[in-house]
Amino acid sequence: MTTPPTLPTWTAAGHYRDIRFETSGDGIARISIDRPEKRNAFRPLTVQELCDAFSRVRDDPSIGVVLFTGAGPAADGVWAFCAGGDQSVRGDGGYLDETGLPRLNVLDLQRIIRSLPKVVIALVAGYAIGGGQVLHLLCDLSLAAENAVFGQTGPRVGSFDGGFGAGYLARVVGQRKAREIWFLCRRYSADQALAMGLVNAVVPLERLEAEGVAWAREVLQHSPTAIRCLKAAFNAETDGLAGLQELAGQATHLFYRTSEGQEGRNAFLEKRDPDFSGAPWLP
């Protein structure tokens, strides 16, 4: 029997109202939506805080993996990863923030998760519905508890996600299944999600975090540069020019570390012609 990993002692970082941001001290961050009474549905403040937390992860060189999850269970015993947008604050033009301004800032969050040069692992307990299903989809890896439930609600509530929520979903599960998910708005179990390739593994609820920590620590044993370039390469295949920009940015990051990159910079600063003669024209 495999020995379960020792769980981190999580340390809170930052001050938030709708989320929790915690770090392990050994390269892992845990970001949790903390609105269990709303099935962890997001409002503009939730998304703003998630954007801030993920941006902090981006800028922290000690963190390589994020576990993204939902707090729970709620007082009635129900678990949720995220039930999508909070319909109680939805206005005519989006979700209303505390000033009454309608927003769809979850699109910003989607791009941040997608482009983060670190690995994001979704830990899905309970409901991943609507916009919550899209958020888990955009994570690099997804682990589901046996009680996980997936599905879309957009056409039922007068909404849809025609971006990653439709296009990338079709890349993951195929066109036929993606259309079924959106057009029929059915619910799917963890085992059904595993069968269609929507999640990587299914584990008992009580083992979900331990499994996520084990996967995170396995990732952390590998080359950070290789991982970030691989993530950009996977994205480039589906994300058009934005994906190519991301991959090219990772190549530029690597090039700056080479003798050629440093010679070009140094020659400019020293006001001389660069000398690239030491760099071979390799096949």
Side-chain angles (χ1 to χ4, degrees):
M1 180 179 294
T2 303
T3 303
T6 302
L7 293 179
T9 300
W10 298 107
T11 301
H15 300 283
Y16 300 101
R17 289 166 53 189
D18 282 10
I19 73 167
R20 300 177 193 168
F21 177 35
E22 301 158 297
T23 58
S24 68
D26 66 348
I28 308 171
R30 181 173 67 178
I31 298 176
S32 311
I33 303 175
D34 191 13
R35 305 185 77 214
E37 74 286 353
K38 288 284 191 177
R39 306 293 188 243
N40 290 322
F42 53 77
R43 56 181 175 171
L45 176 64
T46 318
V47 177
Q48 178 185 333
E49 292 183 343
L50 287 170
C51 289
D52 183 78
F54 275 102
S55 296
R56 290 181 64 178
V57 166
R58 175 188 288 274
D59 293 338
D60 188 337
S62 71
I63 296 174
V65 180
V66 182
L67 303 180
F68 186 24
T69 190
D76 60 2
V78 175
W79 288 84
F81 169 74
C82 175
D86 184 347
Q87 298 302 302
S88 70
V89 298
R90 180 176 157 193
D92 291 342
Y95 296 89
L96 303 180
D97 66 14
E98 292 173 301
T99 70
L101 184 67
R103 294 182 178 275
L104 285 172
N105 57 343
V106 73
L107 303 181
D108 299 328
L109 175 62
Q110 291 177 2
R111 290 191 292 270
I112 290 172
I113 292 173
R114 187 81 171 155
S115 65
L116 189 75
K118 303 176 183 190
V119 176
V120 183
I121 303 176
L123 303 183
V124 182
Y127 292 104
I129 299 293
Q133 202 283 123
V134 177
L135 288 179
H136 111 87
L137 171 72
L138 289 176
C139 295
D140 301 296
L141 301 167
S142 184
L143 306 179
E146 291 172 337
N147 70 344
V149 179
F150 302 86
Q152 273 306 330
T153 58
R156 283 185 177 173
V157 298
S159 179
F160 63 93
D161 184 332
F164 288 119
Y168 185 57
L169 179 66
R171 295 293 187 108
V172 172
V173 303
Q175 280 279 345
R176 294 293 189 192
K177 200 66 180 180
R179 292 173 193 236
E180 173 192 315
I181 289 170
W182 274 103
F183 294 170
L184 276 62
C185 294
R186 291 176 176 174
R187 303 290 174 87
Y188 301 87
S189 69
D191 286 338
Q192 288 174 309
L194 180 63
M196 71 176 82
L198 197 57
V199 300
N200 296 92
V202 178
V203 299
L205 175 62
E206 63 272 14
R207 280 181 39 208
L208 182 60
E209 182 173 300
E211 190 73 9
V213 168
W215 283 51
R217 287 177 176 160
E218 197 166 342
V219 169
L220 290 169
Q221 296 173 21
H222 303 144
S223 160
T225 301
I227 294 292
R228 65 187 291 155
C229 288
L230 280 168
K231 179 167 180 174
F234 284 125
N235 289 353
E237 195 272 329
T238 60
D239 291 2
L241 284 176
L244 291 173
Q245 178 199 43
E246 185 180 323
L247 181 58
Q250 302 305 333
T252 303
H253 176 80
L254 285 172
F255 180 66
Y256 281 167
R257 300 192 208 175
T258 67
S259 59
E260 291 175 74
Q262 293 164 12
E263 168 62 15
R265 175 202 61 199
N266 294 342
F268 177 82
L269 294 175
E270 295 165 8
K271 301 186 183 337
R272 60 175 174 81
D273 291 332
D275 179 7
F276 296 119
S277 60
W281 295 86
L282 296 174

